[in-house]
């Protein structure tokens, strides 16, 4: 399904394999990945002159998710190539800002949920995308009365092949301190089980100009 590369300063022994927790999704720094169709994150590249910068002492982690369509166990393997370079002061550093919640409850049938909070610092967005999973019907993100990103008919392919909006570095979409950001998700769960995070998600994922990751998580602002 996917293999996504993250960096984190919460170090563990090399070779550790464990379940991915909800807190990992918020506190780990996203770097890129590949989807089940073999589509590389490179087909939505960073704008020229932009880079991700990893703090010294961080470790790399691969979050993998496999779908086994057979009745027998399968052996799997994922590999990602990472290009590293010394810090370049002429480059513009991008970090992640996300509006999300791990308190997701998608009951059988049609349902919806709105998440958000007040922006605490000016945040210049360069790339941004809405994100839900296979039961998603539509998703939109607003700042005040302004529609930032609207996906009225969700395409499941966007779950692993996100339809980013990208601006030039000198033309960012700026969220101002005090703005109210809201993401509204609509689902149609045709199963009999209530879905929670991370089986289903509701998120607005972005890359902004800055050195620290930021999050509106469960209605609270955080920077790390």
């Amino acid at each position: 399904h996917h293999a996504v590369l993250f960096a984190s300063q919460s170090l563990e022994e090399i070779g550790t394999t464990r379940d991915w927790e909800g807190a990992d999704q918020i506190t780990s720094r996203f770097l890129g990945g590949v989807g089940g169709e073999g589509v590389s994150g490179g087909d939505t590249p960073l704008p020229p002159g932009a880079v991700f910068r990893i703090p010294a002492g961080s470790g790399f982690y691969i979050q993998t998710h496999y779908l086994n369509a057979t009745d027998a166990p399968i052996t799997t393997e994922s590999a990602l190539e990472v290009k590293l370079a010394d810090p370049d002061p002429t480059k513009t550093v991008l970090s992640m800002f996300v509006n999300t919640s791990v308190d997701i409850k998608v009951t059988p049938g049609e349902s919806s949920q709105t998440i958000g909070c007040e922006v605490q610092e000016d945040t210049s967005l360069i790339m941004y995308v809405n994100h839900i999973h296979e039961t998603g019907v539509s998703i939109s993100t607003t700042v005040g009365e302004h529609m930032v990103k609207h996906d009225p008919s969700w395409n499941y392919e966007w779950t692993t092949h996100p339809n980013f909006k990208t601006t030039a570095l000198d033309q960012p979409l700026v969220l101002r301190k005090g703005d109210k950001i809201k993401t509204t998700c609509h689902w149609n769960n045709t199963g009999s089980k209530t879905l929670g995070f991370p089986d289903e998600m509701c998120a607005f994922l972005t890359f902004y100009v800055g050195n620290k990751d930021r999050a509106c998580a469960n209605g609270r602002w955080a920077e790390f």
Side-chain angles (χ1 to χ4, degrees), residues 151-208:
D151 295 299
S153 181
W154 182 252
N155 182 340
Y156 174 57
E157 293 297 318
W158 294 337
T159 303
T160 53
H161 187 190
N163 60 334
F164 275 102
K165 278 191 174 182
T166 303
T167 75
L169 293 179
D170 60 353
Q171 296 178 319
L173 172 66
V174 182
L175 309 184
R176 298 296 183 186
K177 181 178 180 180
D179 283 345
K180 304 295 194 301
I181 184 169
K182 293 182 180 180
T183 298
T184 300
C185 298
H186 296 272
W187 301 279
N188 184 16
N189 180 2
T190 59
S192 59
K193 184 179 73 170
T194 296
L195 302 177
F197 180 94
D199 293 324
E200 191 51 87
M201 289 181 64
C202 181
F204 178 60
L205 306 170
T206 85
F207 297 110
Y208 85 100

Side-chain angles (χ1 to χ4, degrees), residues 105-124:
K105 185 176 293 185
V106 182
T107 57
E110 296 183 3
S111 63
S112 64
Q113 186 169 339
T114 297
I115 59 176
C117 70
E118 181 176 306
V119 176
Q120 299 298 306
E121 299 289 345
D122 288 358
T123 305
S124 298

Side-chain angles (χ1 to χ4, degrees), residues 1-217:
H1 186 273
H2 67 251
V4 181
L5 185 69
F6 291 88
S8 175
Q9 292 190 298
S10 298
L11 300 182
E12 300 182 45
E13 184 178 352
I14 293 176
T16 296
T17 300
R18 63 168 175 82
D19 289 340
W20 188 259
E21 304 294 340
D24 295 323
Q25 193 77 23
I26 296 172
T27 60
S28 297
R29 178 164 294 191
F30 173 88
L31 299 176
V34 293
E37 301 81 10
V39 178
S40 168
D43 72 325
T44 307
L46 299 181
V51 296
F52 294 136
R53 186 160 293 158
I54 309 305
S58 298
F60 289 126
Y61 298 83
I62 297 178
Q63 186 232 56
T64 56
H65 180 195
Y66 294 97
L67 301 177
N68 183 359
T70 75
D71 295 326
I74 59 174
T75 300
T76 61
E77 181 178 275
S78 296
L80 297 170
E81 291 187 7
V82 181
K83 181 180 180 180
L84 302 177
D86 292 334
D88 184 344
T90 68
K91 301 294 186 181
T92 299
V93 177
L94 300 185
S95 297
M96 174 167 276
F97 166 71
V98 57
N99 180 40
T100 190
S101 173
V102 297
D103 186 20
I104 296 294
K105 185 176 293 185
V106 182
T107 57
E110 296 183 3
S111 63
S112 64
Q113 186 169 339
T114 297
I115 59 176
C117 70
E118 181 176 306
V119 176
Q120 299 298 306
E121 299 289 345
D122 288 358
T123 305
S124 298
L125 308 185
I126 301 299
M127 301 173 65
Y128 48 98
V129 67
N130 290 319
H131 184 77
I132 44 180
H133 288 179
E134 63 264 25
T135 67
V137 175
S138 64
I139 179 173
S140 61
T141 297
T142 60
V143 175
E145 299 299 320
H146 175 63
M147 179 66 70
V148 173
K149 183 75 166 65
H150 185 39
D151 295 299
S153 181
W154 182 252
N155 182 340
Y156 174 57
E157 293 297 318
W158 294 337
T159 303
T160 53
H161 187 190
N163 60 334
F164 275 102
K165 278 191 174 182
T166 303
T167 75
L169 293 179
D170 60 353
Q171 296 178 319
L173 172 66
V174 182
L175 309 184
R176 298 296 183 186
K177 181 178 180 180
D179 283 345
K180 304 295 194 301
I181 184 169
K182 293 182 180 180
T183 298
T184 300
C185 298
H186 296 272
W187 301 279
N188 184 16
N189 180 2
T190 59
S192 59
K193 184 179 73 170
T194 296
L195 302 177
F197 180 94
D199 293 324
E200 191 51 87
M201 289 181 64
C202 181
F204 178 60
L205 306 170
T206 85
F207 297 110
Y208 85 100
V209 179
N211 291 299
K212 293 184 177 181
D213 287 345
R214 293 175 176 172
C216 280

